[in-house]
Amino acid sequence: MNTNTNTAGDGSLSAFPAETPVGMCYVPFQQWETPYAENIALERGTMFPSLDLPFCGKEGLCSERK
């Protein structure tokens, strides 16, 4: 199986192999990024900005982060 970065059907880059089966779950490789400062990372629960996802509570209403 070829694991190089490929183009998707719309011409954009895809991180998935060219022959990815339908109905299978995949987790893309995390790309390196500048981490949060220690105090922000502790507050947010992650040191990586791309993993800092808002919590959506009741009825899908997302709480705003300051």
Side-chain angles (χ1 to χ4, degrees):
M1 184 184 322
N2 181 2
T3 58
N4 294 332
T5 302
N6 297 295
T7 55
D10 62 0
S12 62
L13 290 179
S14 172
F16 295 113
E19 299 172 6
T20 303
V22 176
M24 299 294 290
C25 295
Y26 293 89
V27 177
F29 291 107
Q30 183 179 352
Q31 300 297 313
W32 176 254
E33 59 188 315
T34 303
Y36 284 140
E38 291 176 4
N39 59 327
I40 295 173
L42 286 171
E43 179 184 312
R44 301 290 178 116
T46 181
M47 63 187 287
F48 299 106
S50 65
L51 298 178
D52 186 1
L53 304 173
F55 172 74
C56 291
K58 185 176 179 182
E59 298 179 21
L61 300 174
C62 294
S63 60
E64 293 290 327
R65 289 225 166 157
K66 297 179 181 178

